[in-house]
Amino acid sequence: MQKYSFNIGLWGMALILVVLSQIGALDFYIQSVLMFIGINIILSASLNVVNGYMGEFSCGHAGFMCVGAYVSSILSVIFFSQNSIFGAPLLPPNLAIVGFPIIVIISGVVAGITGLIVAIPSFKTRGDYLAIITIAANYMVISAIENIDVIGGPRGFMGMKRVVNAMTDVVNIPWMMIWVILGTFMSIWMIRRFVSSTYGKGIMAISQDEVAAEIMSVNTNKMKMAAFMLSSGLAGVAGALFAHVLGYVNPQSFNIMKSTECLVMVYLGGMGSLGGSVLSAILFTVMLELLRFIIPAIDTGLHLVNILPATYHLSQVWKWVLIPLTLILLMQFRPEGLMGNKELPDLFPGLKKFYKFK
C-alpha cells in the first residue's frame, strides 16, 4: 500500500506541474528547464545501464539521441505537418495527439537497432575499444545526416513545432510537458525493471568479472547487447522529446560535447545508481542554466577590476570548458560520484518502507 502511495505521490507531483504550467504559474522558461531536466534524466539513467551497471565505457551516447531526434522529427512532419519537401501531411494534424507517442516509440526502436549494429562489433573487443568505437559511431551518424540534403543537411531540420501546435489546437494544455514527464517516468520504470531482472543480474555479474560470469553460464554477449539496445533506445526517446521541445534539430547539437554532458551526469551521480542519475541530471541542468547568468556577471566583475581587457568578453563558450573540466575533476577526486552505487534508501533507510529502488 505504501509503495502505491509513493507512486501516486509522484504522479500527483507531475499533475501539479502540468496544472501550474496550464494556468501560467510557470512561465515558458521554467517549463523548458523542467523539460530539459526530464530529458537529461533519461539520458543519464540510460547511459548508466552500460557505463554503470555493466561496467563498460560508452562515449557516443549522443549519436543514438541524434538518431531518435531525426527519426521522430521526419515522421511527425511527414504524417502531421505541411512541409515544402514532403508536401501535405499524410494524416489529419489533429491526430498528432495519438500519433506522437507512437512516433516516439518507433524512434526509440530505431535507435535501439542502431545500438545493436554498433554493439555487435564493439563487444568482440575489450577494454577501451568500446569507447573508441562509440565515439566513431557518434561522428558517423552526424556526418551521415549532414550529407543528406533532403532533411536539411548541416542546416538542420524543422517543422516539429507545427506538430506540437496541432496538439495544442485540439486541447490547449502543455502537451510536451506531459510527454516529457511520461517519457521520464516510463524510462526510469523500464531501467529499474531491467536492472532487477535476470538480464540486470547478468550485466552486474559481467561488471564484476566477465570470465567468471561466462563460467557460471551467463550468456555475456546476449546480456551486453540487450543492455546496449535498451540504453541506446532510451537515448533515442530522449532525442525525440528534445527535438519536439525545441522544434528544431541540427546534427551538431549531438556532437561529442553532448556525449560528454551525458558522461558528466553519469559520473556525477554515481555509476550503478539510478537515484544518482536522477539527482545528477537535476543538478547538472540547473548548473548549466545558472551559468547563463553567472558567466556574464563574472565578465562584468572582471572588467570592473580591470583584470580583463575592454576588448575581451567572456562568452557562453566557456561552459564547454567547464563541463569537460568537471568530468576530469570528478574522475580525479570523486570517481564514485555523489552516491556511488547506492540508492536513496541506502542513504535514507526510512524510504525503504515507501519504495524499493533495487
Side-chain angles (χ1 to χ4, degrees), residues 20-21 36 110 114 127 129 167 201 219 226 234 242:
L20 290 175
S21 301
F36 287 131
V110 174
T114 306
Y129 290 104
M167 290 188 274
K201 305 304 180 186
N219 189 335
L234 291 179
F242 178 81

Side-chain angles (χ1 to χ4, degrees), residues 1-16 181-182 184-186 188-190 192-193 274 351-357:
M1 184 66 184
Q2 289 171 328
K3 174 181 176 181
Y4 292 116
S5 298
F6 186 83
N7 288 332
I8 292 171
L10 287 177
W11 286 108
M13 290 173 59
L15 180 61
I16 290 171
I181 290 172
L182 287 174
T184 303
F185 281 10
M186 292 304 298
I188 295 297
W189 178 81
M190 288 178 65
R192 183 173 167 275
R193 295 285 293 179
L274 189 56
L351 289 175
K352 288 182 181 179
K353 62 183 179 180
F354 292 106
Y355 206 73
K356 291 182 179 179
F357 287 81

Side-chain angles (χ1 to χ4, degrees), residues 178-256:
I178 293 171
W179 296 130
V180 170
I181 290 172
L182 287 174
T184 303
F185 281 10
M186 292 304 298
S187 297
I188 295 297
W189 178 81
M190 288 178 65
I191 292 170
R192 183 173 167 275
R193 295 285 293 179
F194 179 84
V195 169
S196 59
S197 70
T198 303
Y199 282 91
K201 305 304 180 186
I203 63 172
M204 284 187 274
I206 293 169
S207 173
Q208 297 299 318
D209 191 323
E210 185 171 347
V211 175
E214 288 179 343
I215 293 172
M216 296 301 293
S217 302
V218 175
N219 189 335
T220 55
N221 281 336
K222 180 180 178 181
M223 299 290 180
K224 289 195 290 186
M225 287 182 184
F228 206 80
M229 285 185 69
L230 175 64
S231 176
S232 54
L234 291 179
V237 170
L241 296 171
F242 178 81
H244 288 79
V245 168
L246 288 182
Y248 169 79
V249 283
N250 183 287
Q252 288 304 316
S253 299
F254 309 98
N255 60 19
I256 193 64

Side-chain angles (χ1 to χ4, degrees), residues 264 266-271 326-342 347:
V264 169
V266 169
Y267 291 106
L268 176 62
M271 293 188 294
T326 302
L327 180 59
I328 293 170
L329 293 175
L330 279 171
M331 299 295 286
Q332 182 68 32
F333 298 106
R334 185 74 179 180
E336 70 275 20
L338 294 175
M339 296 183 63
N341 62 351
K342 297 180 175 62
L347 301 178

Side-chain angles (χ1 to χ4, degrees), residues 81-350:
S81 177
Q82 178 75 32
N83 185 274
S84 59
I85 298 172
F86 302 112
L90 298 181
L91 295 174
N94 57 6
L95 292 179
I97 295 174
V98 178
F100 179 72
I102 298 172
I103 287 173
V104 171
I105 293 170
I106 292 172
S107 303
V109 170
V110 174
I113 293 171
T114 306
L116 176 63
I117 295 171
V118 174
I120 290 172
S122 299
F123 290 132
K124 293 181 180 179
T125 62
R126 289 290 187 273
D128 297 332
Y129 290 104
L130 176 63
I132 297 170
I133 292 172
T134 51
I135 290 172
N138 195 162
Y139 278 108
M140 287 170 65
V141 169
I142 291 172
S143 297
I145 292 174
E146 285 182 334
N147 286 281
I148 302 176
D149 197 57
V150 70
I151 55 174
R155 301 183 303 278
F157 185 79
M158 62 179 64
M160 297 78 77
K161 190 62 71 175
R162 288 194 290 271
V163 178
V164 176
N165 291 338
M167 290 188 274
T168 307
D169 290 339
V170 177
V171 182
N172 188 20
I173 58 176
W175 281 107
M176 286 315 302
M177 174 75 79
I178 293 171
W179 296 130
V180 170
I181 290 172
L182 287 174
T184 303
F185 281 10
M186 292 304 298
S187 297
I188 295 297
W189 178 81
M190 288 178 65
I191 292 170
R192 183 173 167 275
R193 295 285 293 179
F194 179 84
V195 169
S196 59
S197 70
T198 303
Y199 282 91
K201 305 304 180 186
I203 63 172
M204 284 187 274
I206 293 169
S207 173
Q208 297 299 318
D209 191 323
E210 185 171 347
V211 175
E214 288 179 343
I215 293 172
M216 296 301 293
S217 302
V218 175
N219 189 335
T220 55
N221 281 336
K222 180 180 178 181
M223 299 290 180
K224 289 195 290 186
M225 287 182 184
F228 206 80
M229 285 185 69
L230 175 64
S231 176
S232 54
L234 291 179
V237 170
L241 296 171
F242 178 81
H244 288 79
V245 168
L246 288 182
Y248 169 79
V249 283
N250 183 287
Q252 288 304 316
S253 299
F254 309 98
N255 60 19
I256 193 64
M257 287 307 303
K258 191 66 178 179
S259 293
T260 304
E261 288 184 18
C262 300
L263 288 171
V264 169
M265 287 187 285
V266 169
Y267 291 106
L268 176 62
M271 293 188 294
S273 172
L274 189 56
S277 293
V278 174
L279 178 62
S280 65
I282 295 170
L283 293 175
F284 184 77
T285 309
V286 172
M287 182 185 74
L288 282 184
E289 292 304 315
L290 289 176
L291 285 175
R292 294 178 183 270
F293 308 101
I294 292 174
I295 290 176
I298 293 174
D299 178 71
T300 302
L302 292 177
H303 280 98
L304 287 175
V305 295
N306 295 321
I307 293 178
L308 289 179
T311 56
Y312 180 80
H313 292 276
L314 295 177
S315 68
Q316 292 297 323
V317 174
W318 275 92
K319 72 178 181 181
W320 303 118
V321 176
L322 296 175
I323 291 171
L325 179 61
T326 302
L327 180 59
I328 293 170
L329 293 175
L330 279 171
M331 299 295 286
Q332 182 68 32
F333 298 106
R334 185 74 179 180
E336 70 275 20
L338 294 175
M339 296 183 63
N341 62 351
K342 297 180 175 62
E343 298 293 350
L344 288 175
D346 298 323
L347 301 178
F348 306 99

Side-chain angles (χ1 to χ4, degrees), residues 47-56 204 207 266-267 270-273:
L47 183 58
N48 212 345
V49 172
V50 174
N51 287 29
Y53 292 104
M54 194 164 68
E56 297 289 350
M204 284 187 274
S207 173
V266 169
Y267 291 106
M271 293 188 294
S273 172

